[in-house]
Amino acid sequence: MTKNKRHIYLIKTGLQLRYMAILVVCMLTVSMTVGWIVYRTSWGQIVNTEDLTIDKLSNIFEQVNSQLFWWVIAFTGIIAFISLFVSHKIAGPVYRLEESMKLLASGDLTHKVHLRQGDELGDLKDAFNKMSESLNKMVYKDREVIERLAKTGENLQKKVDNKNLTKESLEEITYELNAIIEELKLVTSEFKLSERIENKEDTSNEETTKEEILTETTN
């Protein structure tokens, strides 16, 4: 099986370029600061030291290493804080979207995702809210059709109980039921099902047809 290779790497150009810029700026800042520290501490002392010997040069390098060690710790803390702050702008929206998807999967179609100002993934939030709104409208439409179907069934039952089921009323109810079925088909036709489910439905339809044929043949 061949793997799908991604040929376009700048998918969300603005988002990716912002975080690339942050990484590049952090790397340049650290490298320039380290270079400046090494130059000021080592080269300055070397130039100003008279009768430079191996022992004095060794002491200078030890001082440079000691200062670099503490600067590395300081830069690690600073970069860790910046990374936490920057990643929170993505991790926060991702967490909210995950929780919203759980609510949507549980059946809550009224939930909307709200992000703070400055958070990333705003386009994904809008797409999620639009999907939730569309599902809400479809389910609401389904419920309206189901209510109409229930009322039609009640009317049919009343006429059967009252023995008032004429040919005209039966045709009227049949026409209304067919209209409701067509409306239900129209609503559910907007959904795409997996091939396995569709194949199951086709198989069940075929089995039903076979049973009807056998019943007719037997009769």
Side-chain angles (χ1 to χ4, degrees):
M1 182 181 293
T2 58
K3 295 183 178 179
N4 295 327
K5 294 184 178 180
R6 186 170 293 158
H7 299 287
I8 302 174
Y9 294 96
L10 282 177
I11 300 172
K12 296 288 289 183
T13 306
L15 175 65
Q16 290 177 267
L17 289 179
R18 280 199 298 273
Y19 285 93
M20 285 171 61
I22 292 172
L23 289 174
V24 170
V25 168
C26 289
M27 290 175 60
L28 288 176
T29 302
V30 172
S31 59
M32 290 175 65
T33 305
V34 170
W36 180 80
I37 293 170
V38 172
Y39 175 79
R40 293 289 297 177
T41 54
S42 62
W43 186 251
Q45 291 187 42
I46 291 172
V47 171
N48 295 325
T49 301
E50 297 179 356
D51 299 329
L52 186 63
T53 61
I54 296 297
D55 293 335
K56 291 181 179 180
L57 189 60
S58 177
N59 291 331
I60 292 173
F61 285 148
E62 287 180 2
Q63 293 178 10
V64 172
N65 290 333
S66 177
Q67 291 187 19
L68 282 177
F69 174 77
W70 293 110
W71 274 105
V72 167
I73 292 177
F75 275 120
T76 302
I78 293 171
I79 292 175
F81 176 78
I82 294 174
S83 301
L84 180 64
F85 177 76
V86 171
S87 64
H88 184 70
K89 290 183 175 295
I90 294 180
V94 167
Y95 174 77
R96 288 174 182 266
L97 286 165
E98 286 178 351
E99 295 300 314
S100 299
M101 287 177 184
K102 291 177 183 177
L103 290 174
L104 184 66
S106 66
D108 185 4
L109 302 180
T110 62
H111 180 72
K112 300 289 183 183
V113 180
H114 299 285
L115 301 181
R116 295 176 299 180
Q117 188 176 4
D119 281 344
E120 301 291 352
L121 306 181
D123 293 340
L124 185 58
K125 176 207 71 173
D126 295 337
F128 178 89
N129 290 337
K130 187 176 180 181
M131 176 188 68
S132 178
E133 185 178 354
S134 298
L135 289 173
N136 192 21
K137 289 180 180 178
M138 290 179 184
V139 173
Y140 184 79
K141 186 66 176 177
D142 281 343
R143 288 183 178 179
E144 284 185 340
V145 176
I146 290 171
E147 288 179 2
R148 285 174 51 198
L149 184 61
K151 288 180 180 179
T152 304
E154 289 176 2
N155 292 334
L156 178 61
Q157 186 63 43
K158 286 179 182 178
K159 289 183 178 181
V160 171
D161 294 339
N162 296 331
K163 296 180 180 180
N164 192 23
L165 188 62
T166 62
K167 183 179 179 181
E168 290 77 11
S169 61
L170 182 60
E171 289 178 353
E172 183 181 349
I173 292 173
T174 304
Y175 176 80
E176 188 173 353
L177 286 174
N178 288 331
I180 293 173
I181 291 171
E182 290 300 322
E183 194 169 351
L184 277 173
K185 286 181 179 179
L186 184 63
V187 173
T188 56
S189 65
E190 298 182 15
F191 292 96
K192 290 185 178 180
L193 303 178
S194 63
E195 293 182 0
R196 198 175 80 174
I197 295 176
E198 290 177 351
N199 290 335
K200 281 185 178 179
E201 290 180 352
D202 294 339
T203 305
S204 62
N205 291 334
E206 290 177 1
E207 290 177 354
T208 304
T209 305
K210 289 179 181 178
E211 289 177 359
E212 291 176 353
I213 293 172
L214 289 173
T215 304
E216 291 178 357
T217 305
T218 304
N219 293 333

